[in-house]
Amino acid sequence: MSDSAPQSEPRGDLAEGEALPNSKLRLAAIAATAIALLALSMPFVWQDHVDAQPPSADAIAPFASHDATPASFEEGAACMADAKPANLNFTMKDLDGKDVALSSYKGKVVLLNFWATWCGPCKAEIPMFVEFQKQYEGKGFTVVGYSVDDEAPKARAFASEFKMNYPILLGLGREDVQEAFGPMWGIPVSVIIDRNGKVCQKHVGLPSKGELEKEIKALL
């Protein structure tokens, strides 16, 4: 009886000289696919004036990270227990070239949205903001759109096309404002500020409508 180890039979479904598939390669392929799918719903990384077509609501799954964790909330509270004051000591131009102080919105519930005309996910969430403005403006709420790097003519045309019914401020060259509410590695970013000027929530990416509306109503 021979002590030599038995020889493995060649795979019948492989051509001569073809290597067996590597398990690490299979895992890498699976991981790459997962990352690609996740990237569809991630916020856009900063870039300059790259036009994007608005995706449909079905094309992008809601995705958002935010600063609030369950431990950050007191039971029954609408705002984080450790909520910090928003820096509202900034004055910017609106679409008509008028100066607007962020502090002028104190006393209202504010959804401060950082966006740009070239940002696809930003375009997808605008109809939701338009609806919120119509529904809750009379209750002391406003959306404030902060265009991060668009010049006035382009932002004005965009606002008209998308029927944006809320104030739009121009942030071109105003990195100080972005830093005050940052860090921001991509957009959209939505900051919810209560009537006392505290940052209650900060969403990075595309939040779900239900989640955002629930947070707004809790502060009204």
Side-chain angles (χ1 to χ4, degrees), residues 48-218:
D48 290 329
H49 303 294
V50 180
D51 290 328
Q53 294 301 316
S56 66
D58 295 333
I60 297 182
F63 175 88
S65 61
H66 51 80
D67 292 342
T69 61
S72 302
F73 284 89
E74 294 177 347
E75 187 175 355
C79 195
M80 291 184 292
D82 57 350
K84 295 178 173 57
N87 187 347
L88 302 177
N89 299 318
F90 297 103
T91 299
M92 289 156 289
K93 300 289 185 182
D94 66 9
L95 294 179
D96 297 320
K98 297 178 182 178
D99 287 334
V100 177
L102 279 182
S103 59
S104 66
Y105 296 109
K106 194 168 183 180
K108 294 185 176 183
V109 175
V110 178
L111 193 162
L112 179 60
N113 176 247
F114 292 79
W115 65 282
T117 59
W118 46 261
C119 167
C122 301
K123 296 179 183 182
E125 66 183 359
I126 286 173
M128 173 174 65
F129 296 153
V130 169
E131 183 178 335
F132 289 163
Q133 186 74 4
K134 287 180 180 177
Q135 189 167 357
Y136 300 114
E137 183 179 15
K139 298 181 179 180
F141 166 81
T142 188
V143 179
V144 177
Y146 181 94
S147 174
V148 298
D149 60 1
D150 292 301
E151 294 183 353
K154 188 168 187 177
R156 191 181 301 114
F158 183 95
S160 176
E161 178 185 353
F162 283 80
K163 297 178 173 57
M164 298 167 77
N165 58 350
Y166 47 88
I168 303 295
L169 305 180
L170 300 174
L172 181 62
R174 295 299 304 270
E175 286 77 12
D176 54 340
V177 180
Q178 297 165 25
E179 290 171 1
F181 290 92
M184 294 189 187
W185 307 111
I187 54 174
V189 172
S190 294
V191 180
I192 299 180
I193 304 169
D194 72 4
R195 297 181 190 272
N196 297 317
K198 290 187 177 181
V199 176
C200 288
Q201 293 281 0
K202 178 181 174 184
H203 294 274
V204 181
L206 193 63
S208 72
K209 180 181 177 182
E211 177 184 17
L212 207 55
E213 188 168 21
K214 181 179 179 181
E215 292 168 358
I216 292 168
K217 289 171 69 175

Side-chain angles (χ1 to χ4, degrees), residues 32-44 55-63 120-122 124 187-188 205-206:
T33 301
I35 291 171
L37 291 172
L38 179 61
L40 291 175
S41 62
M42 290 290 285
F44 272 34
S56 66
D58 295 333
I60 297 182
F63 175 88
C122 301
I187 54 174
L206 193 63

